[in-house]
Amino acid sequence: MGLDLSSDAAALTAALVDVASVSGAEGHLADLVEAALRALPHLTVDRDGDTIVARTTLGRAERIVLAGHLDTVPVNANLPSRVEGSRLYGCGTSDMKSGVAVQLRLAAALTAPSRDLTYVFYECEEVEAERNGLLRLAGRRPELLAGDFAVLLEPTGGLIEGGCQGTMRVEVAATGARAHSARAWMGANAIHAAGGILDVLRAYSPTRPVVDGLEYREGLNAVFVRGGVAGNVIPDECVVTVNYRFAPDKSVADAEAHLRSVFSGYAVTVVDAAPAARPGLTHPAAAAFVAASGAEVRAKLGWTDVARFASLGVPAVNYGPGEPTLAHTQEESVEIPLIGECERRLLAWLA
Amino acid sequence: MGLDLSSDAAALTAALVDVASVSGAEGHLADLVEAALRALPHLTVDRDGDTIVARTTLGRAERIVLAGHLDTVPVNANLPSRVEGSRLYGCGTSDMKSGVAVQLRLAAALTAPSRDLTYVFYECEEVEAERNGLLRLAGRRPELLAGDFAVLLEPTGGLIEGGCQGTMRVEVAATGARAHSARAWMGANAIHAAGGILDVLRAYSPTRPVVDGLEYREGLNAVFVRGGVAGNVIPDECVVTVNYRFAPDKSVADAEAHLRSVFSGYAVTVVDAAPAARPGLTHPAAAAFVAASGAEVRAKLGWTDVARFASLGVPAVNYGPGEPTLAHTQEESVEIPLIGECERRLLAWLA
């Protein structure tokens, strides 16, 4: 059974949801998407792993990229999809098969768009970065991702979310000296010493930088703590893993320097980092999209693949029909009318 | 090759050390000990697992228990034993085959002691309590452990260590609410909240209670800390495992009440506990031992099997030729003259 791109966006969303595609197991869905796209003569289709790229090549002055991921978080007894009232329930309804359905509907409908279009359907967005299909494609075939502006159809509840905050994880270590806990004074308790790290975190006031007119909201939080040797030993190390979410007025290097300053006196090791992306809404293509869509614009606080486009020099925003607060929950669902609204707004801009 | 109880205490220690007997693998050594004891017609010998009990039954007014464990911590490239200068090196030299050698020498020599004697050689002291041979025997055949006073020949460097401190481990939990770390203000960080637990620990002043004339030294320490859900999630729980070492002026119930008071406002769960033991040196048999041995007396801070005798109503002390600071180290050794001194002092008291 192939995908019927002539069915309405809600029915197409349900069809996509009912093909389970947990990260790493997107193959069957990718096959269906590829077959549906190859049936459209106005598109050139490429495939890399389970990532599909379809493009118009009309020689237009601008190229717009519409991107979405095919994978979902693990199914949580929430398949097959079901309709209740105006909502479609099921794993991936919001994050982000409703967005993928809009992409596919546009791919079929826009045979002669006002701008050249690139549709990207990629794998493994919900898991560790090294498996991300968009990242792999950016390394192997960056020309397939080239464009003047990109829209990721991630769930935003119909708002435009500009840029994204960066994220850095560091391990902050307190040290001590082991001793038998019956003779604690002969050692130095590293867990007690880590109280100083928690003092810093508890006293920290995160800022709200405004970048390109959008207000971001930073955060500095312990996400893990570990320490201890045995039940009768004074521990000699305690490590607090701290996650810093930083606004796009800072580079990764800025973020690291800030953390080393905040935790001066402790050993700080960077575990991983991903850069922030500026909203990029000053670019003419982006401004045209905002004007045409009529959607409200706000800052994106989480990290998204928008930053991958930013690192390729392509300004990007998130704009999709799903609801971010329902993503990854068992009760994941999408408001059906929002799917059609998203499709209509993009059609109005691109037709 | 059997054990030769007529060889001097140092040579006998070396012979015992050279029969490896890591916890759970004491069988061969127990066989040798049993055979050597059964060859002594003035003793009645019982065996339970790899625990051997040998007793005189002379109808004396008092009965003294001399106890030691046969097992060692894992061998650490420190067998066979070797002599360097005045020291015997090897796994178990201090903890506690030098003590076991003294027990065996006394068992052979004291055919008509001034007090009835019970010699206990038991298994699995170095591992989890449920495998401890002394604990098993206390449950199955407590009459074999009956007595007026007990000496454990654990390493004390030739001092008498009276009583022992109790130990209790509790989990103290701080709670919060999960949220995505990009929107930390929607949650409550339990690791940050655990800073309050560490505040309590850092501010705590342990006491030094004097019990039966001996000064103990309490301690309250974090030994483990754990918390965290994922690298991008505000954690909703952080658990600090706290080890309380308490003096024998407190029962286990007293210790628990104290911790619940110290950590009021947090969820406190008792993980395990072992009671303290009073020094018991006011008992006439104990006082006679102290006077006869001429050894210095101090409080025992760690928890030892002395407390098992205390729970059977038998006052007990640690007194042995090994050195506690060398126990469990690769360079474990014993000062050879101290073995003979320990033997002579006990002979002087018991002959």
Side-chain angles (χ1 to χ4, degrees):
Chain A
M1 278 277 292
L3 297 172
D4 177 6
L5 305 192
S6 70
S7 57
D8 69 34
L12 183 55
T13 300
L16 293 168
V17 168
D18 289 339
V19 181
S21 57
V22 177
S23 309
E26 305 92 336
H28 180 48
L29 183 58
D31 292 345
L32 294 175
V33 167
E34 181 184 6
L37 294 168
R38 288 201 188 276
L40 301 171
H42 61 284
L43 296 177
T44 304
V45 178
D46 290 272
R47 178 163 179 164
D48 181 277
D50 288 331
T51 293
I52 318 291
V53 180
R55 289 172 296 158
T56 63
T57 49
L58 301 167
R60 301 289 196 248
E62 287 184 340
R63 176 173 290 278
I64 305 298
V65 182
L66 300 171
H69 60 84
L70 296 176
D71 62 319
T72 69
V73 294
V75 179
N76 188 6
N78 51 1
L79 283 187
S81 63
R82 68 180 198 282
V83 174
E84 282 184 28
S86 64
R87 303 190 72 84
L88 176 69
Y89 285 81
C91 181
T93 45
S94 258
D95 189 10
M96 56 170 282
K97 290 181 175 176
S98 50
V100 170
V102 170
Q103 287 179 269
L104 289 169
R105 291 273 298 164
L106 295 175
L110 289 165
T111 53
S114 58
R115 298 158 174 91
D116 267 315
L117 295 175
T118 300
Y119 304 93
V120 182
F121 304 88
Y122 63 102
E123 77 223 66
C124 286
E125 191 271 346
E126 298 289 5
V127 289
E128 57 272 27
E130 53 263 38
R131 295 170 65 189
N132 185 296
L134 197 61
L135 175 65
R136 190 185 61 233
L137 206 62
R140 287 193 193 171
R141 302 194 62 186
E143 73 280 6
L144 291 181
L145 299 177
D148 297 283
F149 181 58
V151 177
L152 272 79
L153 286 92
E154 287 274 6
T156 66
L159 304 177
I160 296 172
E161 293 189 329
C164 78
Q165 293 202 132
T167 179
M168 173 172 284
R169 264 176 288 270
V170 296
E171 290 188 344
V172 186
T175 53
R178 289 190 196 185
H180 196 290
S181 65
R183 292 176 289 277
W185 63 92
M186 297 182 71
N189 194 315
I191 296 176
H192 296 196
I197 298 169
L198 300 186
D199 288 347
V200 169
L201 288 166
R202 287 188 284 174
Y204 188 83
S205 291
T207 59
R208 299 190 180 194
V210 174
V211 182
D212 295 352
L214 299 184
E215 185 186 70
Y216 289 84
R217 190 163 177 178
E218 297 199 338
L220 187 69
N221 272 278
V223 289
F224 287 108
V225 61
R226 67 172 192 272
V229 175
N232 60 356
V233 174
I234 301 303
D236 57 350
E237 188 180 57
C238 182
V239 177
V240 182
T241 304
V242 173
N243 184 209
Y244 179 36
R245 299 282 174 155
F246 56 94
D249 59 342
K250 294 177 191 66
S251 68
V252 166
D254 293 338
E256 179 177 344
H258 179 62
L259 293 186
R260 290 195 185 279
S261 164
V262 166
F263 294 109
S264 64
Y266 296 95
V268 174
T269 307
V270 176
V271 177
D272 58 25
R278 297 183 73 95
L281 295 174
T282 51
H283 189 283
F289 166 64
V290 172
S293 71
E296 187 187 332
V297 182
R298 67 178 174 193
K300 177 67 180 175
L301 300 182
W303 194 91
T304 80
D305 278 331
V306 156
R308 295 197 204 285
F309 282 103
S311 70
L312 292 167
V314 183
V317 297
N318 289 297
Y319 171 66
E323 286 164 61
T325 56
L326 296 176
H328 303 194
T329 69
Q330 187 173 29
E331 286 304 298
E332 182 175 355
S333 62
V334 64
E335 183 71 18
I336 290 169
L338 282 180
I339 311 174
E341 179 187 306
C342 175
E343 179 185 353
R344 283 189 298 279
R345 286 181 163 181
L346 288 169
L347 269 175
W349 174 45
L350 298 169
Chain B
M1 279 279 292
L3 297 172
D4 177 6
L5 304 192
S6 70
S7 57
D8 70 33
L12 184 55
T13 300
L16 293 168
V17 168
D18 290 339
V19 180
S21 57
V22 177
S23 309
E26 304 93 334
H28 180 48
L29 183 58
D31 292 345
L32 294 174
V33 168
E34 180 184 7
L37 294 168
R38 288 202 187 277
L40 301 170
H42 61 285
L43 295 177
T44 304
V45 178
D46 290 272
R47 178 164 180 163
D48 181 277
D50 290 330
T51 293
I52 317 291
V53 180
R55 290 171 296 158
T56 63
T57 49
L58 300 166
R60 301 288 196 251
E62 288 183 340
R63 177 173 289 279
I64 305 297
V65 182
L66 300 170
H69 60 85
L70 295 176
D71 62 320
T72 69
V73 295
V75 179
N76 188 6
N78 52 2
L79 283 187
S81 63
R82 68 181 198 281
V83 174
E84 282 184 29
S86 65
R87 303 190 72 84
L88 176 69
Y89 285 81
C91 182
T93 45
S94 259
D95 189 7
M96 56 169 283
K97 290 181 175 177
S98 50
V100 171
V102 170
Q103 287 179 269
L104 290 169
R105 291 273 297 165
L106 296 175
L110 289 166
T111 53
S114 59
R115 298 161 173 90
D116 267 314
L117 295 174
T118 300
Y119 305 92
V120 182
F121 304 87
Y122 62 101
E123 77 221 68
C124 287
E125 190 271 348
E126 298 289 5
V127 289
E128 57 273 27
E130 53 262 39
R131 296 170 63 190
N132 186 295
L134 197 61
L135 175 64
R136 191 185 62 234
L137 206 62
R140 286 192 194 172
R141 302 193 61 185
E143 73 281 6
L144 291 180
L145 299 176
D148 298 282
F149 181 58
V151 177
L152 272 80
L153 285 92
E154 288 274 6
T156 66
L159 304 177
I160 297 171
E161 294 188 329
C164 77
Q165 293 201 133
T167 178
M168 174 173 282
R169 264 176 287 272
V170 296
E171 290 188 345
V172 187
T175 54
R178 289 191 196 185
H180 196 291
S181 65
R183 290 177 291 276
W185 64 91
M186 297 181 71
N189 194 314
I191 295 176
H192 296 197
I197 298 169
L198 300 187
D199 288 347
V200 169
L201 288 167
R202 287 189 284 174
Y204 187 84
S205 291
T207 57
R208 299 190 180 195
V210 174
V211 182
D212 294 351
L214 299 184
E215 185 187 70
Y216 290 84
R217 190 163 177 178
E218 297 198 339
L220 187 69
N221 272 276
V223 290
F224 287 108
V225 61
R226 66 173 193 272
V229 175
N232 59 355
V233 174
I234 301 302
D236 58 350
E237 187 179 59
C238 181
V239 177
V240 182
T241 305
V242 173
N243 184 210
Y244 179 35
R245 299 282 174 154
F246 55 95
D249 59 342
K250 295 177 190 65
S251 67
V252 166
D254 293 337
E256 179 177 346
H258 180 62
L259 293 186
R260 291 194 183 281
S261 164
V262 166
F263 295 109
S264 64
Y266 297 95
V268 173
T269 308
V270 176
V271 177
D272 57 27
R278 296 183 73 96
L281 296 174
T282 51
H283 188 282
F289 166 64
V290 172
S293 72
E296 187 187 332
V297 182
R298 68 178 174 194
K300 178 68 181 175
L301 301 181
W303 194 89
T304 80
D305 277 331
V306 156
R308 295 197 204 285
F309 283 102
S311 71
L312 291 168
V314 184
V317 297
N318 288 298
Y319 171 67
E323 287 164 60
T325 57
L326 296 174
H328 303 195
T329 70
Q330 188 173 29
E331 286 303 298
E332 182 175 355
S333 62
V334 64
E335 182 72 18
I336 290 169
L338 283 180
I339 310 174
E341 179 187 306
C342 176
E343 179 185 351
R344 282 189 298 278
R345 287 181 165 182
L346 288 169
L347 270 176
W349 172 45
L350 297 169

